[in-house]
Amino acid sequence: IMKKSSRSKQLTIKQTLSRAKKEIKQGNTAVALQLYNAVLKHQPNHPVAKKRLRNLEKTLPHSQALQTEPENPSQDQIYGLTNLYQTGQLLHAERVCRELLQSFPRSLVLLNILGVALCGQGKFQEAVAVYKKAIQLKPDYADAFCNLGNALKELGRLKEAVQNFGKAIQVKPDFEEAYNNRGAALKDLGQLQEAVASYDKAIQLKPDYVEAYSNRGSALKDLGRLDEAVASYDKAIQLKPDYIEAYNNRGLALKDLGQLQEAVANY
């Protein structure tokens, strides 16, 4: 697989796949797994290797299947990357992720950290490509669908964002964050009733979801349901007494209700 000649490389990959198939027939699944992963390390999107690896994993006991997961960097390396992100060193985190992905091209952990680091820098188009890569490697990756939706929303691609939040929910029906984020995208699309329903579901799943109460209040306000909007802001403030945005938005709703003194008090 390491040969530079494209023709030799292709032949070598074919031979590797053929050998893996023979190993499976002989019951040597561990050897076959190593061979498929060797191909995918050099060609992460090789369709035959990916398909055969997935089919093989389905036949394995859960404990053995876990061993076939793409290699990740060491825990120390992952901790270092997380620390870079949390301390705002986003460009540095991006660079380290890209370097490590040369050695661990199928690492979902690295792709996820790279995606959030790119979003933090406003590189949403690049983040979209990263999240799509993660989904390609793991088609049932709910977090990647949700993160992809967030990046698409930032790019103004709202319908695509809603679709991806929906896919995240399809994979993980109790994904309250995806419901909340889908509500925000629906609100931006002007689909206010649907947005409220999505916020309601997020709150049903997580009764102390502060942001969902505040977001729900904004959608209700746009619908002209001002009393309900104020009640939703009340709940957000009850849960988070220092929630500045909720006070401001409650003030706006109270102003529209003609309760000017109360609005001033909120501001």
Side-chain angles (χ1 to χ4, degrees):
I1 294 173
M2 298 300 291
K3 291 181 180 180
K4 293 182 180 179
S5 167
S6 59
R7 184 164 180 264
S8 298
K9 183 175 181 179
Q10 187 62 30
L11 288 172
T12 305
I13 288 175
K14 286 182 178 179
Q15 291 168 357
T16 304
L17 293 172
S18 177
R19 180 184 162 194
K21 196 172 182 179
K22 290 178 182 178
E23 295 292 347
I24 292 173
K25 288 182 179 179
Q26 295 172 10
N28 300 323
T29 55
V31 175
L33 290 168
Q34 292 175 354
L35 292 170
Y36 287 137
N37 281 314
V39 173
L40 291 170
K41 184 173 182 180
H42 294 277
Q43 288 194 18
N45 294 318
H46 195 285
V48 176
K50 285 175 66 177
K51 182 178 180 180
R52 290 186 184 176
L53 179 59
R54 283 198 300 268
N55 291 338
L56 180 57
E57 288 175 344
K58 291 177 182 177
T59 68
L60 298 174
H62 182 64
S63 59
Q64 189 175 357
L66 288 176
Q67 298 173 9
T68 72
E69 288 294 315
E71 277 191 46
N72 287 313
S74 69
Q75 288 298 316
D76 286 343
Q77 288 172 310
I78 293 172
Y79 174 79
L81 271 172
T82 304
N83 186 59
L84 287 174
Y85 174 75
Q86 292 177 340
T87 56
Q89 301 179 63
L90 302 181
L91 182 58
H92 191 180
E94 177 193 345
R95 288 171 177 167
V96 174
C97 277
R98 293 193 187 281
E99 290 174 5
L100 288 171
L101 280 166
Q102 298 298 315
S103 300
F104 306 99
R106 291 168 53 81
S107 172
L108 298 175
V109 174
L110 285 177
L111 290 169
N112 189 52
I113 297 174
L114 176 58
V116 294
L118 289 168
C119 283
Q121 298 175 75
K123 300 176 179 179
F124 300 112
Q125 194 63 56
E126 293 178 58
V128 165
V130 169
Y131 291 131
K132 285 184 176 180
K133 170 70 173 177
I135 291 166
Q136 193 175 29
L137 292 170
K138 184 177 171 58
D140 61 348
Y141 195 0
D143 287 343
F145 278 118
C146 189
N147 290 336
L148 175 57
N150 291 334
L152 289 167
K153 180 177 179 295
E154 293 293 338
L155 288 168
R157 295 159 62 178
L158 298 175
K159 290 183 179 179
E160 292 176 75
V162 170
Q163 290 171 355
N164 278 277
F165 292 134
K167 289 177 182 177
I169 291 165
Q170 184 178 359
V171 173
K172 186 179 177 183
D174 61 348
F175 199 168
E176 69 273 3
E177 183 181 349
Y179 280 106
N180 179 64
N181 294 352
R182 185 177 69 173
L186 287 167
K187 179 178 179 293
D188 288 352
L189 280 169
Q191 300 178 31
L192 299 177
Q193 296 283 8
E194 294 87 346
V196 171
S198 203
Y199 293 135
D200 284 343
K201 185 63 178 179
I203 291 166
Q204 179 185 341
L205 291 167
K206 185 179 179 183
D208 62 347
Y209 201 162
V210 177
E211 291 81 5
Y213 279 110
S214 182
N215 291 338
R216 180 176 178 270
S218 297
L220 288 166
K221 177 181 178 297
D222 288 351
L223 280 168
R225 295 159 58 180
L226 299 175
D227 288 327
E228 292 176 77
V230 170
S232 203
Y233 293 132
D234 286 345
K235 186 63 178 179
I237 291 166
Q238 180 185 343
L239 291 166
K240 186 179 178 182
D242 62 349
Y243 199 171
I244 297 171
E245 183 180 354
Y247 281 108
N248 182 70
N249 290 343
R250 185 169 67 174
L252 292 170
L254 288 166
K255 176 180 177 292
D256 288 350
L257 280 167
Q259 301 177 29
L260 302 182
Q261 293 286 2
E262 293 84 347
V264 169
N266 274 271
Y267 295 141

